[in-house]
Each structure stands twice: as structure tokens, then as C-alpha cells.
Amino acid sequence: MRHAKPSTIYLKDYRVPDYLVDNTHLHFELKPKATLVKSRLKIRRNPAAGEGLPPLFLDGVDLILLSIAIDGALLSPEHYEKMPQRILVAVDKPEFFLDIQTCINPEDNTTLEGLYLSNGMYCTQCEAEGFRRITFYPDRPDIMSKFTTTIVAPKEYPVLLSNGNEISRGPCEGDHHYVTWEDPFAKPAYLFALVAGNLQHLEDCFITASGRKVKLQLFTEEKNINKGDHALRSLKNAMRWDEAVYGREYDLDIFMIVAVDHFNMGAMENKGLNIFNSACVLASPETATDATFQRIESIVGHEYFHNWSGNRVTCRDWFQLSLKEGFTVFRDAEFSADMNSRAVKRIEDVSLLRTNQFAEDAGPMAHPVRPDSYMEISNFYTLTVYEKGAEVVRMIHTLLGPRGFRKGSDLYFERHDGCAVTCEDFVRAMEDANQVDLVQFRRWYSQAGTPQLTVTDYFDETLGTYVLTVRQSCPPTPGQREKSPFHIPLKLGLLDKNGNELVLDGQGTTQCILEVTEAEQSFEFTELSEKPLPSLLRDFSAPVKIDYPYSIDQLLFLMSNDSDIFNRWDASQRLAFLALSDLQQAYRTGGVLQLQPELIAAYRSVLLNRDLEPALVAELLQLPSEQSIAEASVHIDAEAIVAAREFALQTLAEALFSEFRAQYTALKVRKSFSLSAKDIAERKLKNTCLLYLCATETADALALAQEQFDTANNMTDKAAALSVLINHAGDKQVNAAIEQFYQCWKEDAQVVELWFGQQSRSSRRGNLSAVEKLIQHPAFDLKNPNRVRAVIGGFAKGNFSQFHRSDGSGFEFLAEQVITLDKLNPQIAAQQVIPITRWKRYTGDLARKMKIALKKIMDSGDLSGDLYEVVSKSLN
Ligand code: ZN
């Protein structure tokens, strides 16, 4: 049993800090098991905090305290009190220097927070609360301090990096050397970083709009040095884009990126020294898929954009996390949309939101974009804070228009530069710059749950008026039973029977934004000669579920006529959902499974339509994933979902075999690799065809996959072929492909992870035993989050059919892994357990078995605070 339940922290308890830290001087002597950290803090009573000299709180976790002194005088133990994760120091003057020496153990640090070793290289991760694992410090983001950092290390670590500019270097006694860095910008401790290792680097430069020259460097182990070009190119594009779109320039003379193999998240925006998970920065055409290239571009952009939205203007407290994350995700999404296909980017983001964020909103960990309480802040780096937070910023953009939004962001950066602020400050800047009222809009920050819109309509033929009635509601979430109406921008157009857009205002406007603010509200359109077909929630203008009684014919019509590309795709998804829901129903009642001929015909015409862009064709042909079907169901019947989707896929594959085959052949031309949007789209369409073809498991189709596997000149095609072989070929062919691939790529960490992931996601019956073998594979390592995410996450989050086997073996397996993992890396354990925490939505036995697995974790002994929070909330 655990010793003490972690306590809950509340937003309403926020108080300004008692003391401020103007300067932070750090001195590191790096040793794997005993790194010495000396810190000298210039501390001052916070004038905003009141009278008197209260004790000073310093956070500290897993530290050995060697000494502590005020203005040079060593403190004896009666001057400070040691508590479990902090010390309390008695203070008798309003300003002083505090010197602290601690000893830490990077080598045994498997949490990957604070200072740790990854493949022999020292690196740090301080967000959110990792700095307290380096030294005693008031570790909260509203304390902003100017840092200087000296790193002393043996010369086998030639590269010694920290934030800001290098100001001196030289030899030390023995075979050691040192480098000192100074960061001229005050920052919270969570943006501190240190890297030391034997690294190579790529170098480039960027001239800012005002003509300053910035040195760009990307550091990695020597073997990966050929995989950094794409990230550097993306960085330059991001720097240019932020100048053009937001008027934001970079502010230091150097910008560094470091790739590390062991990392809990995607990347980290430390000032001037971004640290990246290798998987989110390293790529070459031979080793990375198109999706990886695009992910890298967006994450490089994301971390770079944080320099303004996060670093120059930071968060007052961790409840405000979406202030920087929601805004920065919105910025990176727009950047990606401008660099690639805007429609495809939107489709991908909305799919992610609907499948995974909606599930979060409907689960035991549901929380508002700005949570009002937490036990472990690491559990709140969620799709709600990031992706829904970005949708909230996007809605402001939609309501104000691009120019109004830019006025708001300019005011926000100007007002709050150098400060730690709140979501409220962001919204207020938007209001003040535009003289608008966003009072009701603020509920998007405080109310959890996915709003549901129900739309009905009525046409009066004699008057020519069309009335849309919108009702909104939002389901209860933990701690919030009743919700008040949201302010929802509902973008729409109206189509006539020929598919033309109707003019809505006598001035040629064919699209409008209805501002829905009430629980029930009607909107009238006049002077129409026929009943229109509404194209609702264009471009997904709000993160809501929307229901309108579309007939199949109307959806087919929208799918081929809507001018809004997003809604054409959305119509295809609605159609598929309708069909899949009928199939599930038939499966459950023992009826005959059947796909309507109209649906097959629609897919055929998409496939044969030469006027459609390949990118859109590829998107229209995607059947909703099992996970997204599950999310859209009130009660999740996993077996019926798997059966229905499998049937739909098979039926389409067989009915359209020759069309898929012809399209595949047409796109199969051999050409040199490029990352142009057109080539990416064509590869995606080609591989979608291959997937359908191989779903038939005919020798003919599998031979195509094998040929593609053998001859592909890029990883997108190679991996797509491997995946369909793994899922559909016979054992002998599969084993040969798996083995051959591994032998070819076993030295490449990113490709090995892709290889692990494909195997654990295989829908072959009984795949759990294959996953259990992967856990035993010499390349698997529970201490490496990427391997864990590939194998354990690949299975629990990416293998719907096998994970949800009715015997519950998948859940038991996950519980065991999570228990072991929690001892090594609590953050990763808490991330991995999520799939079984949503047990309440499953039907019958599966729910019961998930709950048993959760209880087993709960009763397994001393849980970390991270895992405890997630498991206990889900058992409530
Ligand atoms: Zn971020």
C-alpha cells in the first residue's frame, strides 16, 4: 500500500510567491553517479506578497543536501526544516544570496526528469517540475530568473551546452574542461536545460527580418548526423513563418536543437536549447515515413514558436498550461497547413481530436482546458490542454478574423513580454484589441466535456424563409454536473439542388458564421427559392459533436458537391459511420451483414474521379478507425465494432478490387523520392489501395505488397508494404519480411521502433503472444519510452481487436507491464494505463475485466503519484 496519498492542488489556492529569485548561478561537476550541483541564488522578498519575512520554501526531490548558506554563512540544521519534497528556510532579511550544494545521481535516474543519462550523454528535462530534481529551488513558473550556468566535465564530453550564449570556456584541472553560458532573458526554472556529450553537429544560419544573424545548430550522435537536414530546414521555415504571420523575431544569437533517445514526450522548448526526442527530429528518406517528416516539421515549428508563446510570455501556474500549449499547437497547425495541404492537415487534426480528445472528455480524467485541480501536473499534458486548447484559440481566430486575431496577439505579446500570465490575460488581450466581449466564450476554458449540437430546419415555401434551429447541451463530467451554454462559432453554407452555394446576404457571401450562445436558438435565412441543404460546421469551426438528420442521399451529395473540402470528407465519414452502425446492429442480432450498394458506388466514384486531388481521394477512402467508431458509440461493443469494420473493409476491397488495382498500378511508377505535397498524396493513395487489395488476402495482392516491400526506395512505401504483409500474409512470408527488415535496420533506433510498432499493432488473432515475445527481444527496453510506446502502447492503444479480446488477456498484460514500469518511469506508466481507465463505456464482460486489471494495479503496492491519480480517479 502507498504510504501517503498525493495531495490535490487547486487553482483557487494560487498565491503570489513570497520571494523572488533575480539571478540563478549554477555550477555543475558532472559525474554519472554523483554530480555536484552548486547554486547561488539572489533572493528578494516579493513586494507584492505582503509584510514580514515568512520562511522560504524550496522544492527538492531525490537530492542529497550537502550545504546551505545565506550570504556566505553556513546554516545549521535548526535554521531549516526538511520535509518530504521540500525544505523550509528561516529568513531574517529581505535580500540575500542563498548558496546550496547538492549531489544527484543522473545514471540511476530512470524517471527522465531532472538530469539523466541517455546513451552516455547527459541531458535534462525540467518541465513541469523536474528542476527540483537538480537542486533545491522555488520551482514554480511565476518565478523568473536570469541564469548563468557553468558545466565542468571530463574532456570525453567535448560538447557542453546550456541556455543562452556561451561566455567563456577553458581547461580545468585533471583532464576536465568547463564552459559557461549566460541567458540574458529571465525565465522560469522549467525552461532550464543542460546537455553534455560526445556529439556532432550540423550548422546553418538564419538572418532575421531586422537583419540579425542567428547561428543554428543541431546536435546528435555521430551515427545520426545524416538525419538532421529536414529538421534544420523546418526550423528555418518556422522562423520565417513566425516573422511573416505573427511579426515575431528570434531573440538570441544562437538556437540549438539536441536529439536524445530517451525522452518522455516529443520535445522541449528550453530557451535557446530545444531538446528533442530523436523520433521527433531525425529523418532521412530511407528511414522515415512521410508522416514522420511532417511530424518533425510541426514539432520543430511548435518548439520554436514557444520562444514567444511560452518563453517570452510564460504561464503563471500550471493550471494555465494551455495558455502556452493550446496557442502554440494552433500556431504549429497553421504553420503545417501553410507548408503542406491545408485540408489534409485539418482532416488529420480533427480525426485525432474526435478519436482521442473526445474520449478523454468522456472518461474519468475529463478536465477543462484550464483544469481547476490536479494531483500530478504531468498527467495534464493531455489532448484536452493541447488539441482542444488549440481549437479554443482557433475559435477566437474564427470569431475575430485573421486581422483582428493578429491585433490581439500583438497586444498580448506587448503587454505581457517577460511576464508569467494566465489564460484570462490572453482572452483579455483579444477582447481589448478588438473591442469585443468574450465573457461567455471563457466557458471554453472552465467547462469540461464535448458540447453536443442538434440542428433541425424548416423551410417556408411561400415566404422563401429557411430556419435553422440549434440546440446545445454538454454531458456531465467529473465534478461538473451542470453546464452553461457555450459561445460557439458555427460556420456554414447552404447548397441548392445543383450543388451551388446560395448567396446568404444579398452581397455575394456564401458562407457565414452563426454565433450560437443559447441553449436553443433559431437563425433565419430569407429570400430563398428552394429548400437548401445545409453544410454545417465547416472546417470544424468548433470542437463539438453535431447532429443533423442527413439522409444517405444528402451525404452522398455533400461528399461530391460541397465547396468545403473538410465537409466533403466529413460527409464520407458520416456515411461510413451510418453503415458501420447498421453492420454492428446486424452482427449483434445475428442478422445478415450487408453494405448498401449506394455506398459501394460512392467509393467507386471517388476512386474513379480523375478531377479529385489524390490527397482528398486518399482521405475519402479511409474507413473510420475502430477506435473512432468506439468513441462515437454510447456503449462500446468491441467485438461488434471489429466485425463490422472488418466486413466493410472486405466488402469494399472485393467489390472494387479491379479499381483499386488499376489505381495502384497507375501510381506505382518508379521515380526519385521527393517530399512534395503531390508525391506525399500519391504515396498515401497508392498505399491505401494496397491496403484494400491485401485485405482480400489473395496471392495476387500479396505479391504486389511483397514486390513493393522488396523494391521501395523510401520508408513510406516500405513500411506500408511491411504492415500489410504482417496483417495479411501467411506466416512464412511474414516471418521472412520481419526478419529481413530487422537485419537491415537493427542499427537504426527510429526504424527499429517502427518495426516494433507494426508488429504489436498486427490484427492477427492471438497477437498478444507475439507482443509478449517482443517484450523479450534484446532491442526492447522498458527504460526507453519510445520502445515502450511502440510495443506496449502499440498494442494497448493501436491494436483494438487484439487488445480487446474477450478473455481479458490484453488488460492483464497491460496491468503487469504498467506495474513494472511505474517503478522506473511513473510518467510513462500513467500514460500507458489510460486505455483500461475508460472501462465504464464498454459493454458487459470487458468493462468488468478492465476494472479487475485496474484493481490489480491499485493493490500492487506503492504506486507513484502519477499512476495513483489516474487509477484512483478511474475507479471512483
Ligand atoms: Zn508545447
Side-chain angles (χ1 to χ4, degrees), residues 292-303:
T292 300
F293 275 103
Q294 291 186 330
R295 184 177 71 216
I296 290 171
E297 179 180 66
S298 81
I299 298 181
V300 168
H302 180 100
E303 305 311 330

Side-chain angles (χ1 to χ4, degrees), residues 839-857:
W839 60 275
K840 281 186 187 149
R841 294 188 61 195
Y842 286 79
T843 52
D845 237 21
L846 283 193
R848 199 172 57 78
K849 286 178 171 147
M850 285 185 189
K851 193 172 175 192
I852 292 173
L854 282 167
K855 284 210 169 120
K856 181 167 172 193
I857 297 173

Side-chain angles (χ1 to χ4, degrees), residues 772-873:
E772 281 166 333
K773 282 202 199 100
L774 292 177
I775 300 277
Q776 304 301 323
H777 192 279
F780 183 77
D781 177 7
L782 263 187
K783 291 184 187 161
N784 183 328
N786 288 354
R787 309 266 148 135
V788 169
R789 281 184 279 252
V791 177
I792 299 172
F795 182 64
K797 299 182 187 176
N799 194 339
F800 191 87
S801 68
Q802 300 310 301
F803 180 64
H804 294 99
R805 287 293 292 274
S806 56
D807 60 6
S809 53
F811 314 145
E812 257 170 64
F813 166 79
L814 182 64
E816 276 163 33
Q817 296 303 320
V818 164
I819 291 167
T820 320
L821 205 47
D822 193 43
K823 305 280 173 279
L824 299 169
N825 188 329
Q827 288 186 6
I828 301 297
Q831 281 173 17
Q832 293 305 317
V833 79
I834 295 296
I836 50 174
T837 63
R838 308 203 171 131
W839 60 275
K840 281 186 187 149
R841 294 188 61 195
Y842 286 79
T843 52
D845 237 21
L846 283 193
R848 199 172 57 78
K849 286 178 171 147
M850 285 185 189
K851 193 172 175 192
I852 292 173
L854 282 167
K855 284 210 169 120
K856 181 167 172 193
I857 297 173
M858 199 56 164
D859 296 341
S860 70
D862 221 356
L863 301 191
S864 69
D866 304 63
L867 188 57
Y868 177 82
E869 176 170 31
V870 177
V871 173
S872 65
K873 286 183 175 173

Side-chain angles (χ1 to χ4, degrees), residues 410-583:
D410 283 352
L411 181 61
Y412 170 72
F413 289 126
E414 182 195 310
R415 256 187 199 172
H416 302 297
D417 191 8
C419 300
V421 303
T422 61
C423 298
E424 172 60 26
D425 293 314
F426 181 80
V427 178
R428 189 153 336 113
M430 291 291 162
E431 285 181 323
D432 290 353
N434 292 280
Q435 272 89 55
V436 292
D437 175 346
L438 295 172
V439 171
Q440 184 182 357
F441 185 86
R442 283 167 171 74
R443 288 179 188 152
W444 283 108
Y445 287 94
S446 59
Q447 296 190 141
T450 308
Q452 165 85 48
L453 300 189
T454 307
V455 181
T456 51
D457 58 356
Y458 167 78
F459 182 66
D460 185 324
E461 301 219 358
T462 47
L463 296 173
T465 56
Y466 177 64
V467 179
L468 273 177
T469 300
V470 184
R471 287 183 194 82
Q472 62 162 306
S473 62
C474 182
T477 47
Q480 295 184 336
R481 290 214 60 75
E482 300 294 330
K483 316 284 166 109
S484 308
F486 290 86
H487 179 177
I488 301 170
L490 178 61
K491 196 191 276 190
L492 61 80
L494 300 177
L495 273 61
D496 73 11
K497 62 175 175 303
N498 300 317
N500 298 318
E501 301 212 67
L502 296 177
V503 173
L504 303 178
D505 63 352
Q507 280 157 32
T509 311
T510 57
Q511 181 163 280
C512 69
I513 294 161
L514 303 181
E515 297 197 25
V516 178
T517 53
E518 284 158 38
E520 179 175 337
Q521 209 168 348
S522 292
F523 301 89
E524 194 178 272
F525 300 85
T526 53
E527 294 173 46
L528 303 183
S529 55
E530 59 174 291
K531 179 171 184 181
L533 179 61
S535 163
L536 298 166
L537 201 69
R538 283 188 161 174
D539 207 28
F540 198 65
S541 61
V544 300
K545 295 185 182 179
I546 183 159
D547 182 45
Y548 172 88
Y550 285 118
S551 68
I552 298 217
D553 285 344
Q554 288 173 325
L555 289 171
L556 290 167
F557 186 81
L558 285 174
M559 195 170 144
S560 40
N561 292 290
D562 202 328
S563 67
D564 187 73
I565 303 283
F566 176 83
N567 265 7
R568 287 175 81 164
W569 170 78
D570 201 41
S572 78
Q573 298 297 292
R574 282 174 197 267
L575 269 174
F577 274 113
L578 287 178
L580 288 161
S581 136
D582 289 350
L583 288 169

Side-chain angles (χ1 to χ4, degrees), residues 592-608:
V592 186
L593 274 62
Q594 238 176 331
L595 261 197
Q596 275 152 323
E598 299 93 307
L599 192 78
I600 298 175
Y603 276 78
R604 176 179 287 114
S605 73
V606 166
L607 204 41
L608 295 179

Side-chain angles (χ1 to χ4, degrees), residues 127 267-269 299 302-303 306 309 321 324-326 328-329 332 381 386:
E127 187 178 2
M268 180 63 212
E269 69 264 24
I299 298 181
H302 180 100
E303 305 311 330
H306 268 316
S309 49
L321 183 57
K324 73 179 178 80
E325 296 305 345
T328 305
V329 171
D332 85 54
Y381 285 76
Y386 275 68

